[in-house]
Amino acid sequence: MTNFPADLTYTAEHEWLTSGSPATIGITWTAQDALGDIVYLELPAVGTAITAGSVIGEVESTKSVSELFSPVTGTVVEVNAAAVDSPELLNSDPYGAGWLIKVDVSEVGPVLTAAEYEAKVGF
């Protein structure tokens, strides 16, 4: 069973984010489930300027390699080093310890509420 926390917003590309600035960004339960066992994570460095909709890294699993897309425009202020060192955190706790980056947000791209995202993914 999936769980989409109502206090987060979501993207069509299966990323989630918190409100406010800095915003925390991660991948959804749906994304980690589709990927399978995650074995590698590449993220932008602190200080990197990112743009909503742009590729900001990649995640590799035993099944595939997928790009990560930014839901916001802004500057990376923190990277989850624990997730880079132990990418399996994205599988075990995608909404907690498996977060990806924190961004000082200047603009939010298109996002969905939890209910809209749940309807989109069909759960």
Side-chain angles (χ1 to χ4, degrees), residues 13 24 31 37 54 57 63 67 69 72 74 77 85 89 93 106 108 118:
E13 292 80 22
T24 303
D37 294 332
S54 67
K63 292 182 182 180
E67 294 179 322
F69 296 91
V72 298
V77 295
D85 292 341
L89 286 173
D93 194 8
S106 60
V108 176
E118 186 172 2

Side-chain angles (χ1 to χ4, degrees), residues 5 24 34 49 56 58 76 104 115:
T24 303
I56 57 168
E58 68 179 31
V76 177
D104 185 10

Side-chain angles (χ1 to χ4, degrees), residues 55-78:
V55 175
I56 57 168
E58 68 179 31
V59 59
E60 181 178 335
S61 72
T62 55
K63 292 182 182 180
S64 66
V65 176
S66 296
E67 294 179 322
L68 298 167
F69 296 91
S70 179
V72 298
T73 297
T75 304
V76 177
V77 295
E78 189 175 346

